[in-house]
Amino acid sequence: PYFCWHPALGSVGSCRQCAIRKYRDEDDHQGQIVMSCMEPVTDNLHISIEEKEVRDFRKNVIEWLMINHPHDCPICDEGGECHLQDMTVMTGHAYRRNRFKKRTHLNQDLGPCINHEMNRCIQCYRCVRFYNQYAGGNDLQVFAAHDHVYFGRHEEGTLESEFSGNLVEVCPTGVFTDKTLKPHYTRKWDLTSAPSICQHCSLGCNTLAGERYGTLRRILSRFNEEVNGYFICDRGRFGYDFVNGDSRIKTASVRNNGQWDQLNQEDSLEKVTNLVSQGKIMGIGSPRASLESNYALRTLVGKENFYNGISAGENRLIQEALSFLRSNPIRNLSLKEIESCDAVIVIGEDVTNTAPMIHLALQQSMLARPLKKSKKAGIPPWNDAATREHIQDERGPLYMLTPQKTKLDSIATSCYRQSPQHLVNLVMAMAQHLDSSIPTALGNQQHQEDASEIATVLREAERPLVIAGTSLGHDALLKSALNLVKALNKVNPNTGVSLVFPECNSLGVAMMEEKSVAEAVDAQSSYETLIILENDLYSRHSSPLIQNFLERFQNIIVLDHTLNQSSSQADLILPAGTFAEADGTLVNNEARAQRYFQVQASGDHVMESWRWLSLCGISTENSKMDQWDNLDKVMQSLEDDLDQFKGISQAAPGADYRVKDQKVARSPHRYSGRTAMFAHHRVNEPRPPEDKDTPLSFTMEGYRGTPTPELTSYYWSPGWNSAQAINKFRNELGGNNEASLNGVRLIQPSTDRVSNYNLDLSGSGHKEDGWTIVPLHHIFGSESMSMLSPAIAERSPGPWVNINESEAKEMGISSGDVVQVIMDDLEISIAARTEASWPSGVLGITVGFPNMPFIEIDCLAQLKK
């Protein structure tokens, strides 16, 4: 039994719950009571776990903890999955002997995501250890002392950390619970769950989705040692509510004389079949749709008529990154590997907002060097308190090269706030210091001095890491970052790179097709019908150009799950399943293919996108699609057609996989109410939906042991009802899964030597006749689907434009003023933020927010108050 220990946080021995008796040797019969989490394993270690005195000690400790804990399990959100409940039963404490008043606290409003009930606290200190020490937050603290300890903020207010939602799983009681679950609360045992992949950025974090009554109720983290470990960010945890939103497309609709008429599934399939049978068809895919759905559209319309659905600028950068990954012997690191890097440079990426879990990984990597010193001092890394006392505030080297301030600045060694073109010069100067064969980089003397300092640190590191990506939309900056990686690899073969992409399947669809939305708009062929797959084209290209483009088609078919501007232009809308109602494969930023599984049956009208398209292909006698009666057949066809996707079928077991001749149950064995929940429709229990695409069942019938990790739908073991049951799914406590859960890496480091440098570094520098545009991203706002979740929308700061403070003062602009930004024919009214460190001649404009138009990054802007 334990409370304070957590596999990611190590041991501090504060809860006193894991007491054992330790003996000097076999002749020692007296021994002493010690805390097992603080004892290293050594030769001739003699211990007793069941000796009466230590059993009584543990029982007394849990009784002390329960003196002030309210007995409110029936109304507690944690009831039925509470670690405190498990430990209380485990230690044998069953009766309350205390007859005095319990201590009480006032609770705080901690924002739209986290509910606070301080009376349930048992002072395990897990919350502040995770929030402050592991995640780097600073607005959750511990106050007072003795038995009046209080965990909260100095005043009420939303928790500021982008990882605050992990308190829900870290807290062993009901102090911090999921506030988004409360309006449709369901006990754990009544949830149907399924393994899934986060849809809100390119990192591919593993999650568990929980459903009841056809409504998605919550998202939990799913352990994957190589990817997200034990945690996920708040956007991934609380951004799910778009699945239940009012903008969901639930039925097929056809436009007749300006009015929308609903169609049943049979009629809608007949309608779409008729449309695709006439004339030439263009298909536009999506970086937020699965590989299978994109491939189904590509197969239906033909390779030459398929476009990947990515904007021109993003596509250009992604293809540059893909070319680098395929042709160089440099490993694209996982989040786990990032944690062990001992010197890091971040170029152009505000990872807190574009790839949040990299931020969390960097918090750990900054301890890689100090931890080596602690090991030399004889302190094991699991001894968390002693380790942190030894290293104090020491951190490894981290260099931030971005125009904007970031949340990692507080732990960074140095920050360089410059325009993208100036950053290009600085990065190339570093590369030249590492490899003198590179032509002397542009830049002033300060560039050379800074470059020499950083290059020296990176050269001397054991495992240096360069993080870059597509977020700034600047070709030359990405090329210079990749040049730096190549130069560093020549002096240190352990060099790693981590590349950030915009969306959950950006890399996957870019691997499938190189043609972007802009190329679709420029296509001259006489197309009659357009199929848009899970995409809003108005967010990918200039609105006037998209409008003119759509007007060229006689028929527009939109296949999506959520209404958007593109669907308003459609002639036929087909309801697609969200990630909660569909199965599929995504390719994350490492080129790791991972499978997600539907948690609820799609219903009578909604179908997975690939199934709509395959049924259409069968109706039009497409010979290849004629065999696609389940997901496995689609994946097999994809692997046969496109060599770059060989092996994706190995990302998870196929539909014929069984454990002891049984499918794996999505619902726990205590699941209740299957008849009652449909009693208002019929008195008999309906037949459960059949899943032909996966080895999972939609019921509690099926294998309920420990399945292969890719199919683990929930963590539960006898006596372990809480999320801490995850330890029962490991080879050892805090160890790996019993089997690997790593997906399939589609791109491995090349065996060839490092490719030549790309010295074509022309880019948009400072222009005298206008302002240079730099896109800014925010974790709560820049991703369209999560912004449809009320909790995320409430935490969103809204769009803004960044201006250099001195230049703003010259124009009479103060922070909070509304300014006009004029770009070609586009004019935006937006709130201004002024920063002293913001580079001059540059405007930073937030992108992706609702009602914000698509912005051409390469254009110049005019600014007026």
Side-chain angles (χ1 to χ4, degrees):
Y2 61 89
F3 288 114
C4 61
W5 180 84
H6 185 281
L9 304 180
S11 301
V12 291
S14 65
C15 73
R16 326 306 294 168
Q17 187 61 77
C18 64
I20 58 172
R21 187 172 291 278
K22 177 185 175 183
Y23 303 94
R24 289 191 305 274
D25 51 42
E26 63 268 24
D27 297 323
D28 178 12
H29 301 291
Q30 181 65 32
Q32 60 179 336
I33 293 178
V34 298
M35 299 305 113
S36 61
C37 71
M38 302 300 290
E39 281 296 317
V41 175
T42 59
D43 283 345
N44 284 321
L45 175 67
H46 288 72
I47 63 171
S48 171
I49 298 174
E50 296 298 323
E51 193 263 339
K52 182 180 186 306
E53 191 173 358
V54 295
R55 286 174 61 91
D56 290 343
F57 183 96
R58 293 194 298 262
K59 184 175 180 180
N60 289 336
V61 168
I62 198 76
E63 185 173 18
W64 301 334
L65 293 176
M66 290 296 291
I67 282 177
N68 287 301
H69 188 86
H71 292 194
D72 61 348
C73 299
I75 62 167
C76 177
D77 289 358
E78 199 80 0
E81 54 181 330
C82 174
H83 186 58
L84 179 60
Q85 287 177 333
D86 292 344
M87 296 299 100
T88 303
V89 173
M90 186 179 295
T91 51
H93 172 59
Y95 296 97
R96 185 180 71 170
R97 294 186 292 170
N98 183 57
R99 292 293 179 265
F100 302 97
K101 284 187 176 181
K102 291 179 180 286
R103 173 205 61 220
T104 57
H105 294 288
L106 292 176
N107 303 318
Q108 292 182 320
D109 182 356
L110 298 180
C113 298
I114 303 296
N115 192 68
H116 187 232
E117 179 53 72
M118 187 57 208
N119 291 325
R120 297 171 183 153
C121 182
I122 58 169
Q123 296 86 46
C124 71
Y125 284 82
R126 265 198 195 181
C127 57
V128 290
R129 289 178 61 214
F130 167 79
Y131 195 91
N132 299 335
Q133 298 174 5
Y134 193 92
N138 55 23
D139 62 316
L140 178 72
Q141 300 294 340
V142 53
F143 302 94
H146 192 46
D147 63 344
H148 296 285
V149 175
Y150 189 91
F151 297 88
R153 300 183 84 246
H154 66 287
E155 62 180 4
E156 285 194 340
T158 301
L159 289 169
E160 296 172 3
S161 173
E162 293 79 6
F163 309 97
S164 64
N166 291 294
L167 296 174
V168 172
E169 293 183 68
V170 167
C171 177
T173 73
V175 178
F176 300 101
T177 53
D178 185 344
K179 188 178 282 189
T180 68
L181 176 63
K182 291 186 79 69
H184 45 211
Y185 182 76
T186 301
R187 293 295 188 192
K188 176 182 180 178
W189 62 78
D190 280 334
L191 283 173
T192 298
S193 300
S196 191
I197 302 296
C198 182
Q199 309 284 306
H200 302 302
C201 83
S202 66
L203 298 185
C205 295
N206 289 216
T207 61
L208 292 171
E211 174 271 346
R212 178 78 169 177
Y213 285 101
T215 303
L216 189 61
R217 302 296 173 101
R218 70 174 180 185
I219 297 291
L220 298 178
S221 65
R222 179 166 59 108
F223 179 80
N224 185 325
E225 185 177 35
E226 288 298 312
V227 186
N228 55 298
Y230 294 91
F231 307 118
I232 55 177
C233 75
D234 285 2
R235 183 166 70 186
R237 185 180 298 275
F238 302 116
Y240 66 89
D241 237 0
F242 72 92
V243 174
N244 310 318
D246 295 335
S247 57
R248 277 298 309 277
I249 301 170
K250 294 292 186 67
T251 57
S253 301
V254 63
R255 190 193 299 272
N256 285 324
N257 299 321
Q259 301 295 319
W260 288 103
D261 295 333
Q262 291 188 354
L263 300 175
N264 60 33
Q265 196 173 94
E266 184 178 344
D267 291 341
S268 57
L269 187 59
E270 181 181 348
K271 179 70 175 177
V272 71
T273 301
N274 290 337
L275 292 178
V276 300
S277 300
Q278 305 167 11
K280 197 172 182 181
I281 317 168
M282 175 187 286
I284 297 182
S286 172
R288 62 176 170 87
S290 67
L291 282 181
E292 292 82 359
S293 294
N294 278 291
Y295 174 66
L297 179 57
R298 181 183 185 272
T299 305
L300 183 66
V301 303
K303 178 187 185 309
E304 66 281 1
N305 304 315
F306 176 73
Y307 298 81
N308 62 25
I310 303 174
S311 68
E314 283 181 0
N315 187 60
R316 190 168 59 247
L317 291 165
I318 295 171
Q319 296 300 336
E320 179 75 30
L322 263 176
S323 175
F324 168 85
L325 294 174
R326 287 167 168 161
S327 59
N328 286 281
I330 300 161
R331 186 167 176 80
N332 193 10
L333 300 188
S334 69
L335 290 170
K336 180 67 174 180
E337 291 168 324
I338 289 174
E339 292 182 1
S340 60
C341 292
D342 57 348
V344 182
I345 179 170
V346 181
I347 302 173
E349 284 292 327
D350 181 3
V351 293
T352 312
N353 292 307
T354 60
M357 289 298 292
I358 290 183
H359 173 121
L360 201 62
L362 289 179
Q363 290 279 352
Q364 317 321 311
S365 74
M366 291 303 93
L367 302 177
R369 282 195 180 188
L371 282 174
K372 293 175 185 175
K373 295 182 180 180
S374 293
K375 281 187 178 180
K376 288 182 179 178
I379 304 173
W382 51 260
N383 194 335
D384 189 65
T387 299
R388 293 187 183 276
E389 184 68 25
H390 184 261
I391 66 178
Q392 296 290 313
D393 294 328
E394 185 179 353
R395 296 291 183 270
L398 169 64
Y399 298 97
M400 300 296 299
L401 280 62
T402 58
Q404 72 273 35
K405 294 178 180 178
T406 76
K407 283 206 169 182
L408 284 169
D409 293 355
S410 60
I411 62 170
T413 307
S414 297
C415 302
Y416 298 85
R417 300 283 165 263
Q418 298 172 355
S419 69
Q421 193 59 48
H422 281 90
L423 292 178
V424 170
N425 297 336
L426 176 58
V427 173
M428 287 306 297
M430 292 180 215
Q432 199 272 335
H433 276 282
L434 293 166
D435 186 351
S436 58
S437 69
I438 298 175
T440 303
L442 299 174
N444 55 30
Q445 186 61 30
Q446 183 63 41
H447 273 153
Q448 297 298 329
E449 293 173 3
D450 292 339
S452 176
E453 174 192 336
I454 300 172
T456 300
V457 171
L458 293 175
R459 179 192 287 115
E460 294 174 353
E462 288 186 21
R463 298 194 63 187
L465 168 65
V466 178
I467 297 176
T470 65
S471 301
L472 278 189
H474 198 279
D475 297 55
L477 188 58
L478 177 61
K479 291 175 184 176
S480 66
L482 299 179
N483 284 338
L484 175 62
V485 177
K486 295 174 186 178
L488 187 55
N489 180 262
K490 288 185 177 181
V491 298
N492 188 339
N494 291 326
T495 298
V497 65
S498 179
L499 299 176
V500 176
F501 302 103
E503 296 177 70
C504 61
N505 205 22
S506 291
L507 197 59
V509 74
M511 290 172 65
M512 185 176 294
E513 179 53 58
E514 295 183 8
K515 302 192 298 292
S516 70
V517 169
E519 290 167 274
V521 171
D522 294 338
Q524 299 300 315
S525 300
S526 54
Y527 291 101
E528 295 182 11
T529 300
L530 171 66
I531 302 178
I532 303 173
L533 171 67
E534 298 184 34
N535 208 336
D536 184 6
L537 302 188
Y538 288 89
S539 66
R540 311 289 181 181
H541 204 45
S542 167
S543 291
L545 292 178
I546 290 295
Q547 190 64 41
N548 292 335
F549 169 67
L550 295 179
E551 289 173 358
R552 286 162 32 190
F553 295 93
Q554 296 179 23
N555 307 298
I556 299 174
I557 302 170
V558 167
L559 187 55
D560 210 333
H561 48 70
T562 304
L563 293 170
N564 53 47
Q565 198 170 351
S566 291
S567 63
S568 68
Q569 304 297 313
D571 298 296
L572 176 64
I573 299 176
L574 300 177
T578 64
F579 73 95
E581 301 144 333
D583 313 296
T585 306
L586 301 176
V587 179
N588 78 346
N589 69 311
E590 313 163 56
R592 185 191 300 268
Q594 299 182 108
R595 190 81 42 77
Y596 62 92
F597 297 92
Q598 62 187 117
V599 65
Q600 60 196 59
S602 52
D604 296 332
H605 300 281
V606 177
M607 285 195 292
E608 303 98 317
S609 294
W610 68 263
R611 196 179 298 278
W612 276 112
L613 294 164
S614 66
L615 290 175
C616 183
I618 292 170
S619 300
T620 54
E621 299 181 352
N622 185 307
S623 58
K624 185 178 293 184
M625 304 175 86
D626 200 35
Q627 306 298 318
W628 294 0
D629 55 357
N630 71 5
L631 188 69
D632 289 354
K633 300 287 181 60
V634 184
M635 284 189 288
Q636 186 60 57
S637 182
L638 173 56
E639 288 184 302
D640 292 342
D641 262 10
L642 303 173
D643 288 341
Q644 62 266 40
F645 294 111
K646 290 286 186 187
I648 64 164
S649 59
Q650 303 305 310
D656 58 352
Y657 175 85
R658 298 291 185 272
V659 182
K660 297 181 179 178
D661 296 325
Q662 300 177 84
K663 282 197 164 195
V664 177
R666 282 180 171 92
S667 304
H669 68 284
R670 296 176 295 176
Y671 189 88
S672 65
R674 291 194 304 184
T675 302
M677 70 172 66
F678 297 107
H680 59 300
H681 294 299
R682 65 190 77 177
V683 294
N684 62 309
E685 182 180 332
R687 181 177 179 177
E690 185 178 359
D691 189 348
K692 298 180 179 180
D693 299 312
T694 78
L696 299 171
S697 70
F698 280 112
T699 67
M700 56 199 254
E701 284 81 24
Y703 182 71
R704 295 194 301 267
T706 304
T708 180
E710 295 87 350
L711 301 177
T712 297
S713 297
Y714 52 87
Y715 294 118
W716 182 88
S717 184
W720 294 80
N721 300 294
S722 74
Q724 301 305 307
I726 192 170
N727 294 317
K728 300 299 182 179
F729 290 73
R730 304 287 173 265
N731 284 332
E732 59 181 81
L733 203 61
N736 300 333
N737 290 68
E738 293 199 1
S740 64
L741 178 61
N742 295 325
V744 176
R745 292 286 290 257
L746 299 178
I747 301 177
Q748 295 293 342
S750 168
T751 56
D752 300 332
R753 63 182 180 85
V754 174
S755 62
N756 295 329
Y757 296 108
N758 188 340
L759 300 179
D760 177 15
L761 300 177
S762 56
S764 52
H766 178 62
K767 308 284 196 313
E768 297 300 328
D769 54 347
W771 298 75
T772 300
I773 300 295
V774 169
L776 301 178
H777 301 262
H778 196 277
I779 182 174
F780 306 124
S782 293
E783 199 278 322
S784 59
M785 292 294 101
S786 61
M787 275 298 285
L788 297 175
S789 299
I792 297 297
E794 188 173 332
R795 293 181 71 177
S796 174
W800 74 88
V801 58
N802 265 15
I803 314 170
N804 176 272
E805 189 173 77
S806 298
E807 292 178 316
K809 188 176 294 185
E810 291 176 8
M811 301 179 67
I813 296 173
S814 302
S815 281
D817 288 349
V818 175
V819 297
Q820 308 296 122
V821 181
I822 304 166
M823 297 162 284
D824 297 332
D825 297 330
L826 182 64
E827 184 171 327
I828 302 173
S829 296
I830 192 169
R833 288 187 185 179
T834 63
E835 291 183 11
S837 62
W838 182 260
S840 60
V842 178
L843 294 181
I845 302 182
T846 49
V847 294
F849 281 75
N851 302 318
M852 280 289 288
F854 175 83
I855 297 174
E856 293 282 2
I857 301 304
D858 294 336
C859 72
L860 293 175
Q862 302 298 321
L863 179 67
K864 61 182 182 180
K865 186 173 178 182

